[in-house]
């Protein structure tokens, strides 16, 4: 997971409540469920569980925009449920789209849409190895 971003048809929902803040998650059971689904890849596990910087950033930038409907706990619960319901790596593997090989955006999108029934938003970018797929929006 990179983030869970609320949508609005007329505008982008970012930084809706700049004065409201993320509250560090203290419940160990929730942390143990959240961390493998939404790892903070730039930090070691212990530091990320203590500091929670990436979760804080994502919640303050995007999660607070839906606070009137979902509180912080519900926001992270929804993120985990979405992650569990859409296993992109398994979807791609089942459709024989494997890391290290070349595919078109249409091939990747069609494979995901067959399972998810919705058009995904693959985001390609260049790296030292060439064009790669670092992110898929669902």
């Amino acid at each position: 997971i990179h983030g869970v971003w609320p949508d609005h048809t007329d505008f982008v929902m970012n930084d809706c409540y700049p004065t409201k803040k993320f509250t560090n998650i203290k419940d160990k059971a929730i942390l143990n469920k959240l961390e493998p689904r939404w790892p903070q890849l730039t930090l070691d596990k212990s530091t990320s569980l203590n500091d929670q910087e990436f979760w804080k950033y994502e919640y303050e930038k995007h999660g607070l925009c839906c606070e009137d409907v979902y509180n912080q706990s519900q926001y992270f619960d929804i993120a985990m449920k979405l992650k569990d319901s859409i296993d992109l790596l398994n979807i791609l593997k089942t459709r024989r789209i494997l890391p290290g090989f070349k595919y078109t955006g249409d091939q990747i999108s069609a494979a995901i849409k067959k399972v998810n029934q919705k058009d995904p938003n693959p985001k390609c970018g260049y790296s030292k190895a060439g064009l790669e797929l670092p992110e898929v929006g669902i």
Side-chain angles (χ1 to χ4, degrees):
I1 299 175
H2 176 171
V4 177
W5 307 323
D7 274 343
H8 193 285
T9 56
D10 296 330
F11 55 88
V12 177
M13 297 180 75
N14 291 331
D15 302 312
C16 299
Y17 299 103
T19 59
K20 293 186 178 182
K21 299 295 176 195
F22 168 84
T23 302
N24 269 24
I25 301 165
K26 305 241 185 275
D27 186 318
K28 298 269 189 228
I30 293 171
L31 290 171
N32 288 334
K33 290 186 336 186
L34 184 59
E35 198 280 329
R37 289 172 176 88
W38 195 340
Q40 300 177 74
L41 300 174
T42 59
L43 302 170
D44 64 79
K45 183 177 176 179
S46 176
T47 303
S48 67
L49 289 173
N50 287 325
D51 296 346
Q52 302 179 14
E53 286 299 316
F54 188 51
W55 299 332
K56 174 183 190 243
Y57 173 80
E58 289 298 319
Y59 184 70
E60 289 179 356
K61 183 167 181 101
H62 303 291
L64 282 168
C65 293
C66 60
E67 186 186 43
D68 295 343
V69 181
Y70 304 111
N71 65 31
Q72 180 178 307
S73 178
Q74 292 168 320
Y75 171 82
F76 286 103
D77 189 52
I78 288 167
M80 290 188 285
K81 286 178 180 170
L82 286 170
K83 169 68 171 145
D84 291 347
S85 71
I86 305 168
D87 184 347
L88 283 177
L89 293 177
N90 191 46
I91 288 169
L92 294 172
K93 185 172 131 184
T94 301
R95 302 282 174 211
R96 295 196 171 110
I97 294 178
L98 306 169
F101 295 90
K102 294 182 181 185
Y103 305 95
T104 66
D106 288 341
Q107 289 172 308
I108 292 167
S109 292
I112 296 168
K113 186 173 182 175
K114 266 192 173 167
V115 174
N116 193 39
Q117 307 304 314
K118 294 185 175 30
D119 288 315
N121 183 12
K123 294 180 174 109
C124 297
Y126 285 96
S127 72
K128 290 178 185 176
L131 194 60
E132 62 181 26
L133 176 69
E135 182 177 324
V136 176
I138 300 290

